[in-house]
Amino acid sequence: MRSPIPALGWVGIVRLGVVQAAIGAIVMLATSLLNRVMVVEYALPAALPAGLVAWHYAVQLSRPVWGHGSDRGRRRTPWIIAGMALLAAGAIVAVWALGVITGGATLGYALAVLAFAMIGAGVGAAGTSLLALLASRVAPERRAAAAAVTWIMMVAGIALSAAGAGALLDPFSFGRLLQVVAGVAAGAVLAATLAVRGVERGAPDPVDRFDLMSTPPSGDPSFGDALRALWADTEARRFTGFVFLSMLAYAMQDLILEPFTGLRFGLTPGQSTQVSGIQHGGVLLGMILTGIAGSGFGGRASGGMRHWIVGGCVGSAVALCGLVMAARVGPGWPILANIFALGFANGVFAVAAIGAMMALADGGATGTHSAGIRMGIWGAAQAIAFGLGGLTGAVAVDAGRALTGSLPQTFMLVFGAEALLFLVAAVLALRPPLREVHFDREVVL
């Protein structure tokens, strides 16, 4: 039976969006700012930050454990705050590790591994619990808009953190780097704590908030039992495959799109960098329009949310086929418009997929209090896909150039493979679900 807790209003949704922005702000410090500082300012091998970022994704395989913990505790707030604190501490330890490494001590590498493990665990605990809270407290008709709001605010958090940190770092010094990272991290934790405070007012009393190993209270399943029950749910298992394939295709383009525009179209480094801005502009527009249209009309349309997901995946595949043609034709192809279209389609499928996660996590086959572990499984699938996607795309380009000796043919094959992955994901989304999910209602078949 569903809990009678009142659904979140728009103010509550925006407050949770602030938490998502705070997570994005700290993650930017670790995966972007420190990456650049290690490689440029300290001339460390590029493989070091790349490996650390991959490690932080690997640690996020623990997401189901964090989600199950918040399911058992009945409240998500303590897990969100604890995850934010761990994430912030990890970012600060990462800077400390950089100082030890540049000082010549090998202990610094062990500290860096520990720091990025803390970052991955913090993202897993805070992010999974936040999504579970959204799934259980947002009204069905607002899920698409809530997904758009929270992800747009995450992008805003990343952008503001990057702009602020960049301005404060000049002139660069290690001491200034430590101050900036510590300041941004502390500010993000404070903002997230204030934003989430009181959101769960009226929720059931917490039970064993952080104890995952004791006997489950009130008949709650253990982690192993909950995981087996979830995996026995055909719909949840199929959706896990969809998340992995679609996010793998999404991530494969990350590291190769800018080099492609430079190598095939002769764009300068400055012009090539603008490509990322054009793509993300398309992503934001796709998210906004899907959030508005999905919440306003998705529930009335036949098939509801599935059609938005399939449309976004097919649109992404079509845009990637355009990049296949761009690789063949070269200069003269409308490459910037093509990239904007790819970003737009990516934004559509991303918001629809997140909205579907909320709907499927809220009271599935494993029970009312399974939103956390469900979000954890899908978050783990996404983390694996992101970790593999960038590496797979880059390796595929290097291997293709070595085997074929042709730059156009290599990019045609790689972009074509991404398009195929999106189409396979669309097929998975098209298969009739056990429960037809709409934006504003849920019909059990």
Side-chain angles (χ1 to χ4, degrees):
M1 189 174 74
R2 292 184 184 272
S3 173
I5 304 170
L8 286 176
W10 291 115
V11 173
I13 291 171
V14 171
R15 287 173 63 183
L16 295 184
V18 171
V19 180
Q20 190 80 321
I23 294 173
I26 301 179
V27 170
M28 186 285 303
L29 297 176
T31 61
S32 181
L33 177 63
L34 284 179
N35 176 41
R36 182 240 151 77
V37 168
M38 286 181 180
V39 174
V40 179
E41 273 70 26
Y42 290 100
L44 293 170
L48 175 61
L52 291 171
V53 170
W55 169 237
H56 114 282
Y57 278 124
V59 172
Q60 290 185 51
L61 291 176
S62 63
R63 276 178 176 262
V65 177
W66 304 119
H68 180 63
S70 68
D71 285 339
R72 288 166 53 103
R74 300 292 190 267
R75 287 182 184 268
R76 317 290 182 182
T77 300
W79 294 85
I80 293 172
I81 295 174
M84 288 298 304
L86 185 60
L87 173 58
I92 295 170
V93 173
V95 179
W96 178 31
L98 176 60
V100 176
I101 290 172
T102 55
T106 55
L107 175 63
Y109 294 99
L111 280 175
V113 171
L114 173 62
F116 276 79
M118 295 168 66
I119 290 166
V123 171
T128 302
S129 302
L130 177 66
L131 287 173
L133 181 55
L134 281 167
S136 59
R137 295 294 302 277
V138 173
E141 67 272 12
R142 291 180 175 174
R143 282 174 179 147
V149 167
T150 53
W151 255 252
I152 289 169
M153 292 188 70
M154 181 182 71
V155 173
I158 293 171
L160 289 174
S161 177
L168 293 171
L169 270 178
D170 291 329
F172 178 82
S173 69
F174 179 78
R176 187 179 288 269
L177 173 66
L178 183 58
Q179 290 176 349
V180 169
V181 170
V184 172
V189 172
L190 178 61
T193 301
L194 293 176
V196 80
R197 183 180 179 186
V199 168
E200 290 190 282
R201 189 175 291 116
D205 291 334
V207 180
D208 288 345
R209 292 179 182 175
F210 299 104
D211 185 2
L212 302 183
M213 303 305 295
S214 64
T215 301
S218 305
D220 282 356
S222 66
F223 174 73
D225 290 340
L227 190 61
R228 283 189 291 271
L230 185 149
W231 207 242
D233 182 347
T234 303
E235 190 176 354
R237 194 166 62 246
R238 184 191 308 161
F239 192 74
T240 303
F242 161 78
V243 169
F244 176 78
L245 289 175
S246 60
M247 293 302 175
L248 181 66
Y250 182 88
M252 278 181 67
Q253 58 194 277
D254 276 356
L255 299 181
I256 64 173
L257 201 53
E258 288 185 32
F260 168 67
T261 59
L263 291 169
R264 192 71 180 97
F265 288 82
L267 270 62
T268 65
Q271 292 172 327
S272 190
T273 301
Q274 292 174 3
V275 167
S276 179
I278 291 171
Q279 182 185 14
H280 284 95
V283 169
L284 286 176
L285 182 59
M287 286 182 168
I288 292 169
L289 292 182
T290 305
I292 295 172
S295 289
F297 308 106
R300 299 181 182 87
S302 176
M305 196 176 299
R306 277 195 302 147
H307 286 182
W308 292 94
I309 294 174
V310 172
C313 286
V314 172
S316 297
V318 171
L320 284 163
C321 288
L323 291 181
V324 171
M325 293 301 300
R328 180 175 181 176
V329 172
W333 185 265
I335 185 64
L336 296 183
N338 196 155
I339 290 172
F340 181 84
L342 175 62
F344 179 82
N346 286 169
V348 171
F349 107 80
V351 164
I354 295 161
M357 285 185 193
M358 294 182 192
L360 293 174
D362 182 22
T366 58
T368 302
H369 298 295
S370 66
I373 192 169
R374 283 171 168 254
M375 284 297 186
I377 288 290
W378 298 327
Q382 179 178 306
I384 297 171
F386 277 173
L388 288 176
L391 178 63
T392 301
V395 170
V397 168
D398 288 342
R401 294 181 72 178
L403 291 173
T404 67
S406 169
L407 179 71
Q409 187 175 352
T410 294
F411 279 106
M412 288 173 66
L413 291 172
V414 174
F415 288 136
E418 291 181 49
L420 181 61
L421 285 175
F422 269 120
L423 290 177
V424 174
V427 170
L428 283 178
L430 266 176
R431 293 181 63 184
L434 302 178
R435 183 170 62 255
E436 183 70 30
V437 178
H438 298 268
F439 280 123
D440 64 352
R441 67 187 184 276
E442 192 174 304
V443 181
V444 180
L445 300 182

